[in-house]
Amino acid sequence: MSQPTRPASPTGVVPLRPLQAGEILDGAVTAMRANPGVMLGLSALVVTLGQVVAIPLDYVYLRFLAGLVDDNTTLGSGSGINDLALLRPGVLLNALIVSLLVGLLTVAVSRAALGRPVTLGEVWRLTRPRLLRLVGLALVIFIVLFGALALGMVPGLLLAAAGSQAAALVLLIGIGAGAALALNRWVAWSLAAAALVLEDQPVRRALKRSSTLVKGGWWRVLGITLLALLVSEVVAAVLSVVQQAVIGSNLSPVADNGDGTFSGHHVSLLYVFLGALFSAAVQSVVSPFAASVMALQYLDRRMRREGWDIQLALNARKQRDGLATTGAGGPEPGNGPAA
């Protein structure tokens, strides 16, 4: 049965009704344009603080990888070391930052859905009491997802250490199973940060609340998230062209000398700093968009499952009439249902 059409909000970044995928993506961009100081400014601040932590860790890690190069290094092992560089601490830290930003920017996006202005100070005031829980939530999701991948590899690695011929097959199956579990949880918990902030939920109940909202729309949430990631990757790829022109192959710890020998690049703090600078620039642009998409998906799932669009439309109408209040069920922190 098709859902009845609800009137769109004339002032918000999205219509106040269940949203189409294109409306969510367009709304995310519109929210960034409506609040550039908050969206881009807060993102730049959080990403910069993350890079301050990541720079010394990346420096030590990349120097370690470069030190692995010796006379026994081959093309295969050199490529493997360079692949390990892609998993440096700064890259993993960015995954945590995006999850944290979803919670921090949810307030701005939810206000933008009703056409309400929001300041950086207001976002901080509303999210500060929940900041430790947001960090804890990001860590829990990060540990569970990477733990699923790691556990999937354990049987194959044990068989490989024992010299079993079935090790490769078991490792492949284990990685596939671990990746499937990680993907399932990643989608099911993708709305947890928004639920934590807007409904003032503790970490465990935010995870449960997200799973409840995603239920029945898992493939839809995955599809829209992948579309958002595709758009983000296009932007990141453009910025990476500039990065390669400035830093080039020095981002790789292993250099091919062209005569069958390999050497480790001299890893300097300047080189690590430049890499962190470009990474921060990319994340400052990409992260607000990804966070906005997830926040709008949270609104969409509540409108689809709970008819929240009716309450949102009522609140928007009160606002236009000069009678707006923070009514129960509106997109304000602490007003969601206690799942």
Side-chain angles (χ1 to χ4, degrees):
M1 178 181 297
S2 60
Q3 297 185 5
T5 301
R6 302 312 199 324
S9 168
T11 56
V13 298
V14 292
L16 297 183
R17 54 168 171 74
L19 303 172
Q20 301 298 320
E23 291 172 332
I24 291 176
L25 298 179
D26 181 68
V29 175
T30 305
M32 292 173 61
R33 293 173 59 187
N35 300 286
V38 175
M39 304 289 288
L40 298 177
L42 183 59
S43 177
L45 176 61
V46 174
V47 168
T48 300
L49 292 176
Q51 291 300 331
V52 168
V53 176
I55 286 175
L57 297 177
D58 281 354
Y59 176 69
V60 172
Y61 181 70
L62 292 174
R63 282 182 62 89
F64 167 75
L65 292 181
L68 296 178
V69 182
D70 54 28
D71 294 338
N72 296 322
T73 300
T74 63
L75 182 60
S77 60
S79 298
I81 294 175
N82 283 335
D83 289 341
L84 289 175
L86 299 176
L87 297 177
R88 61 187 183 274
V91 174
L92 301 180
L93 188 61
N94 282 337
L96 291 174
I97 288 174
V98 172
S99 180
L100 180 61
L101 279 173
V102 171
L104 292 175
L105 296 178
T106 289
V107 173
V109 176
S110 64
R111 293 292 182 87
L114 292 182
R116 298 182 184 178
V118 64
T119 64
L120 188 59
E122 187 177 10
V123 171
W124 174 245
R125 177 179 61 83
L126 293 172
T127 56
R128 182 179 59 184
R130 302 163 176 83
L131 189 58
L132 288 179
R133 276 181 283 160
L134 275 174
V135 174
L137 176 67
L139 287 173
V140 167
I141 294 176
F142 181 82
I143 291 172
V144 170
L145 297 188
F146 279 88
L149 291 172
L151 287 176
M153 298 172 61
V154 168
L157 293 177
L158 291 177
L159 289 176
S164 173
Q165 295 181 350
L169 178 59
V170 173
L171 182 62
L172 182 62
I173 295 174
I175 292 176
L181 177 59
L183 177 63
N184 179 274
R185 290 298 87 197
W186 176 59
V187 175
W189 293 343
S190 60
L191 308 182
L196 187 149
V197 172
L198 292 182
E199 301 180 20
D200 197 17
Q201 300 276 17
V203 171
R204 186 172 65 176
R205 296 184 70 177
L207 294 171
K208 181 180 178 180
R209 174 67 170 152
S210 177
S211 297
T212 300
L213 289 174
V214 171
K215 185 177 180 180
W218 190 93
W219 288 105
R220 173 183 169 82
V221 173
L222 173 63
I224 295 175
T225 302
L226 290 180
L227 281 175
L229 289 177
L230 178 61
V231 174
S232 300
E233 285 301 317
V234 171
V235 175
V238 173
L239 295 177
S240 294
V241 172
V242 181
Q243 176 179 337
Q244 287 296 322
V246 175
I247 302 179
S249 61
N250 286 333
L251 283 174
S252 303
V254 178
D256 187 347
N257 298 325
D259 58 358
T261 63
F262 300 85
S263 59
H265 276 137
H266 172 66
V267 180
S268 66
L269 275 176
L270 176 61
Y271 140 62
V272 176
F273 174 78
L274 289 175
L277 181 64
F278 279 104
S279 178
V282 172
Q283 289 299 322
S284 295
V285 175
V286 171
S287 296
F289 175 73
S292 297
V293 168
M294 298 316 302
L296 289 176
Q297 287 214 77
Y298 166 82
L299 298 179
D300 176 60
R301 292 308 303 167
R302 286 199 64 181
M303 288 189 290
R304 289 177 181 275
R305 289 184 59 89
E306 302 169 355
W308 206 30
D309 49 327
I310 299 175
Q311 181 64 53
L312 291 178
L314 178 61
N315 286 356
R317 187 175 298 111
K318 287 181 178 180
Q319 180 189 8
R320 292 194 299 272
D321 295 339
L323 301 173
T325 59
T326 306
E332 304 286 347
N335 287 328

